[in-house]
Amino acid sequence: MILYKLLKKPFFGKFMVQWRNPLTEEEQKDWERFSVKSKSGGLLQALFAKSFSGVAKATILLGHPMGKEAKAYFLKNGYTDLLRSNGYNVVVFDINGFGESSIANFNFADDIVAMSIKAKTFAPDLLLGYHGVSLGGQFGTLAFTDDAHVVDFAIIESAATSLDEFWINFPLAYKTLQVLNFFLPNTKKKIHMVERIKDVKHLKSILFIYSHTDTLTPVTMGVRFKNNCPVASKLYTVPNAEHAQIMKSEHVEEYKNSIISYFDTASS
């Protein structure tokens, strides 16, 4: 895994740090720790919590954006409380190389597939939803092309349509990506998200979420994803919010209502 650590450094180096749990000791009692081995080679670390009501509508799997927070992004920003308060079980996990998960290859979609299979076991009779933000959304689109995934409906938020279009904003990472593309041209085609989404399987629907002031993943990316999506889909946008930060924007209440409304409809 040393090779993967070196290859990932230009992309994720500053985010691969020791993870900090934002939950108090009392709050941690609500969460069950577990781990899953992914085809990527990573041992993924995760947490499961039941709906606050005790009777759940569905289980929601959360795929985090790129960052030091990893799965804590959802814990710190109120997503898990929002979902649990509205009748949903929740699973949060670290993609390989982030948070508490071990470093493995770049096939993050395999991590999402593996975690979906495990998440389903906590409540086999309930539908499974997914909410992926940025990195978690981008590779969610690839995970949904895999026959093995068991997600029924999904929110894809602030996701880039391809690696090239995202990393062009970061010169060193972009140059490294071009070298990898040269030596691995077939892999580039396999992970061209906006084209691969045409092969999505099993999903009933997708809600795409974007911000009009997000320069890393502009609304035009959401439009392209929606146009290529073979299942029922909608595009919801907010006028202004930083990349992957709609929960901290002035549109937070409308945003939260849109999330719950979508999940309530999809899980009914």
Side-chain angles (χ1 to χ4, degrees):
M1 296 305 171
I2 295 176
L3 175 60
Y4 288 128
K5 186 174 183 178
L6 292 173
L7 289 173
K8 286 185 175 184
K9 193 169 184 180
F11 303 100
F12 315 117
K14 66 179 179 179
F15 304 127
M16 294 187 290
V17 297
Q18 184 174 358
W19 187 72
R20 295 183 179 181
N21 193 334
L23 299 173
T24 65
E25 287 190 15
E26 188 63 28
E27 289 171 332
Q28 289 181 48
K29 294 177 182 178
D30 264 2
W31 293 86
E32 177 182 340
R33 281 186 166 272
F34 67 96
S35 60
V36 173
K37 186 69 175 179
S38 168
K39 283 174 61 178
S40 70
L43 184 63
L44 312 179
Q45 303 300 326
L47 299 168
F48 167 78
K50 293 181 179 179
S51 158
F52 285 133
S53 67
V55 179
K57 303 171 185 176
T59 300
I60 307 298
L61 174 63
L62 299 173
H64 65 79
M66 182 172 61
K68 295 177 182 179
E69 294 175 318
K71 63 180 178 288
Y73 169 89
F74 295 109
L75 297 166
K76 292 172 64 176
N77 290 307
Y79 288 91
T80 54
D81 284 345
L82 172 68
L83 292 168
R84 296 178 68 201
S85 295
N86 282 276
Y88 293 96
N89 298 332
V90 178
V91 172
V92 293
F93 73 103
D94 296 320
I95 291 169
N96 88 72
F98 293 89
E100 299 176 291
S101 294
S102 64
I103 295 174
N105 65 31
F106 286 90
N107 293 330
F108 302 135
D110 285 341
D111 298 344
I112 296 168
V113 172
M115 195 55 63
S116 77
I117 294 169
K118 178 62 179 180
K120 184 73 173 180
T121 67
F122 287 103
D125 295 331
L126 296 180
L127 296 178
L128 178 67
Y130 181 78
H131 186 172
V133 180
S134 191
L135 178 73
Q138 184 179 38
F139 281 89
T141 63
L142 296 181
F144 302 146
T145 68
D146 191 320
D147 271 322
H149 90 81
V150 292
V151 176
D152 296 292
F153 48 86
I155 294 176
I156 299 298
E157 179 179 337
S158 303
T161 39
S162 71
L163 295 181
D164 293 82
E165 290 173 278
F166 180 82
W167 289 111
I168 196 170
N169 299 286
F170 306 90
L172 176 59
Y174 185 67
K175 289 178 181 177
T176 304
L177 179 62
Q178 295 311 299
V179 173
L180 293 174
N181 286 342
F182 178 79
F183 287 105
L184 301 167
N186 291 332
T187 299
K188 180 181 179 180
K189 292 180 181 179
K190 289 179 181 178
I191 60 175
H192 192 199
M193 291 78 181
V194 72
E195 288 299 317
R196 290 300 312 284
I197 199 170
K198 295 175 182 177
D199 302 321
V200 160
K201 301 174 179 67
H202 311 320
L203 289 182
K204 295 180 179 179
S205 64
I206 299 178
L207 173 64
F208 297 100
I209 298 180
Y210 286 79
S211 164
H212 283 278
T213 56
D214 183 347
T215 56
L216 292 177
T217 56
V219 171
T220 52
M221 290 188 175
V223 172
R224 289 162 60 202
F225 267 133
K226 185 179 184 304
N227 287 343
N228 282 358
C229 186
V231 301
S233 63
K234 291 184 178 180
L235 174 62
Y236 164 67
T237 64
V238 299
N240 58 290
E242 295 182 15
H243 179 69
Q245 295 297 322
I246 301 178
M247 190 64 110
K248 295 181 179 180
S249 75
E250 62 187 286
H251 310 289
V252 58
E253 292 306 318
E254 179 186 290
Y255 170 67
K256 290 192 291 187
N257 289 338
S258 296
I259 290 171
I260 296 304
S261 176
Y262 171 71
F263 282 146
D264 282 350
T265 300
S267 61
S268 61

